[in-house]
Amino acid sequence: MVSSLISRASRKFLKPTLLSSSFSSSIFNPLIPSHPNPGQNISITSFKPTHIGIYDLHFCKNVGSLSNFQLVVHISTSPLRLGQDKENKNQSSISSCNVISGGGVSWIDLYLHRSVQPYARLARLDKPIGTWLLLWPCVWSITLAAPPGHLPDLKMLALFGCGALLLRGAGCTINDLIDRDIDTKVERTKLRPVASGILTPFQGLSFLGFQLLLGLGILLQLNNYSRVLGASSLLLVFSYPLMKRFTFWPQAFLGLTFNWGALLGWAAVKGNLDPSIVLPLYASGVCWTLVYDTIYAHQDKEDDLKVGVKSTALRFGDSTKEWLTGFGIASLSSLALSGFNAELGWPYYAFLGVASGHLGWQIWTVDLSSRSDCNRKWHCQLTAHINELKEVKDFFYST
């Protein structure tokens, strides 16, 4: 519908070779008011000749109803282009409606009230991969702790699922509060709610308290041993965002934080820790995190150099793949050791072999100079396979 309005308006008001200097942007895009509010950012981002008498205009506007999403409108004043638009009905004159912070309009924009949207983005509710990465070590550990021949405790899985969602959101909130000055200088993070000014630090801090309060409610459902163990993870949660300022190994600290569930899940079921099983499992998760988060860090390495923060991507440089291979081998070896100590059957090692092939492909094929490929590989994680393996472990558990 918008495409049709734009096409009709461009036929009616524009000539092929002449661009009036006093046009109204509302002619082309009904979403843009004819008299923009003070402070509203409407700018021409490109104006270039492509052929004689043919010009392209791109208008960018911050659309308030989409929570500072950027709407990019493509308008052609060429009669040739207009003819092409008429012939090809599948091609819209709106070339993209791109959300800088995430690459698309998410369910947050469609279903949540505008006043709630910035908080949902602060907790990264529209990007669930981080919650899964936090939850999987918990699931592994809870499954390993289940009695032979029994499925893992579903109530415990549900509690840890809710806890992972809340703790991941709290960690993102802490990270954005501490890094708000740095985030404004990094292309990928400059539109985050606190960095962009949509939320004040006080609002972010209040939201953090709300998340931690809900998390406490879940923690109190566990045994006393697990309560102490779970509360101690907050030291890592609060200290991790600072690590990039002092060490080239912030990804290692993230691994220690994100895989705490490998310890907590077992403790929640058993009331204690079996070091021979949970420590190799924890070490495996830490090494795995070093793999995927180093790949992820390569997206920001140019910006990190500019602002003066550190990462394993900068530390490893051209030797990144060799380091990743070493961490991958360490992760798989630790998983094998944990399974051996837990007396798992042969199918565990068969599926571990499949997982190792997936991890090897991930490391071998990633293009560390391409932000888009690093992002794709980060979303394609090893333990999607291992998670399925753990869930069927009980059917093959050695007695």
Side-chain angles (χ1 to χ4, degrees):
M1 179 178 178
V2 176
S3 175
S4 176
L5 290 174
I6 294 172
S7 180
R8 292 175 184 174
S10 59
R11 287 191 181 98
K12 184 174 181 181
F13 294 103
L14 293 177
K15 294 183 183 290
T17 59
L18 178 63
L19 177 69
S20 172
S21 61
S22 59
F23 60 88
S24 171
S25 59
S26 61
I27 292 175
F28 311 113
N29 185 1
L31 295 178
I32 303 178
S34 58
H35 300 287
N37 298 326
Q40 186 179 44
N41 180 23
I42 301 178
S43 60
I44 298 177
T45 58
S46 67
F47 178 61
K48 59 182 181 180
T50 55
H51 299 286
I52 298 177
I54 300 175
Y55 291 89
D56 287 334
L57 289 176
H58 287 74
F59 294 90
C60 293
K61 167 183 180 298
N62 287 334
V63 182
S65 62
L66 295 182
S67 297
N68 287 332
F69 288 179
Q70 191 176 69
L71 182 68
V72 182
V73 180
H74 170 83
I75 301 172
S76 173
T77 63
S78 164
L80 176 62
R81 294 269 181 104
L82 293 174
Q84 291 174 345
D85 288 342
K86 183 177 181 180
E87 292 175 2
N88 188 358
K89 296 181 180 180
N90 294 326
Q91 291 185 355
S92 171
S93 59
I94 300 181
S95 61
S96 65
C97 181
N98 182 39
V99 182
I100 298 298
S101 61
V105 177
S106 74
W107 65 270
I108 290 178
D109 313 292
L110 299 176
Y111 301 112
L112 296 186
H113 191 272
R114 285 182 58 187
S115 62
V116 180
Q117 289 177 11
Y119 295 98
R121 295 194 179 284
L122 186 59
R124 311 288 198 276
L125 295 184
D126 56 335
K127 299 177 181 179
I129 182 64
T131 301
W132 285 110
L133 294 175
L134 186 61
L135 177 61
W136 282 335
C138 307
V139 175
W140 307 342
S141 188
I142 292 171
T143 305
L144 281 171
H150 293 79
L151 291 173
D153 189 330
L154 296 181
K155 177 184 176 182
M156 201 63 66
L157 291 175
L159 284 174
F160 273 78
C162 295
L165 181 67
L166 291 169
L167 187 60
R168 191 269 180 130
C172 292
T173 303
I174 295 170
N175 183 81
D176 286 10
L177 288 171
I178 294 177
D179 287 350
R180 60 185 183 276
D181 295 332
I182 294 177
D183 285 346
T184 58
K185 304 173 184 177
V186 178
E187 184 66 26
R188 185 177 57 84
T189 61
K190 64 183 181 181
L191 292 182
R192 286 177 174 174
V194 176
S196 63
I198 298 175
L199 293 178
T200 66
F202 177 77
Q203 289 173 315
L205 193 61
S206 300
F207 182 56
L208 172 62
F210 174 71
Q211 293 174 97
L212 293 178
L213 184 62
L214 293 179
L216 177 61
I218 293 177
L219 189 62
L220 292 177
Q221 306 300 313
L222 308 180
N223 56 57
N224 289 333
Y225 189 94
S226 301
R227 292 173 185 174
V228 175
L229 187 63
S232 62
S233 67
L234 291 178
L235 296 174
L236 292 169
V237 173
F238 278 91
S239 62
Y240 160 67
L242 299 172
M243 292 300 110
K244 64 173 70 74
R245 293 166 168 80
F246 305 111
T247 176
F248 281 100
W249 294 87
Q251 283 68 30
F253 282 87
L254 180 67
L256 295 173
T257 305
F258 256 47
N259 293 280
W260 198 256
L263 307 176
L264 188 58
W266 181 281
V269 176
K270 297 287 191 179
N272 56 49
L273 291 176
D274 186 341
S276 66
I277 297 176
V278 298
L279 290 184
L281 188 65
Y282 184 52
S284 171
V286 173
C287 292
W288 172 54
T289 302
L290 278 162
V291 173
Y292 71 69
D293 206 53
T294 297
I295 293 174
Y296 188 78
H298 270 274
Q299 297 179 97
D300 299 330
K301 55 190 176 185
E302 289 84 4
D303 291 323
D304 288 346
L305 284 171
K306 293 177 183 178
V307 301
V309 298
K310 302 174 175 64
S311 71
T312 49
L314 297 178
R315 169 65 179 82
F316 301 156
D318 294 336
S319 301
T320 292
K321 290 199 174 184
E322 288 79 1
W323 282 91
L324 296 184
T325 301
F327 288 128
I329 293 172
S331 178
L332 294 167
S333 300
S334 297
L335 279 174
L337 178 60
S338 181
F340 177 80
N341 291 337
E343 300 180 352
L344 298 185
W346 65 266
Y348 175 86
Y349 304 98
F351 280 98
L352 191 59
V354 174
S356 66
H358 178 273
L359 182 62
W361 166 83
Q362 188 178 9
I363 295 173
W364 180 264
T365 61
V366 63
D367 182 359
L368 297 174
S369 63
S370 169
R371 290 190 177 189
S372 59
D373 192 54
C374 288
N375 189 269
R376 281 193 298 270
K377 294 300 191 298
W378 179 71
H379 280 84
C380 187
Q381 296 307 322
L382 159 70
T383 49
H385 303 285
I386 298 179
N387 183 39
E388 296 174 358
L389 163 64
K390 298 288 187 178
E391 293 180 349
V392 301
K393 149 261 176 186
D394 297 301
F395 297 102
F396 303 101
Y397 201 99
S398 298
T399 58

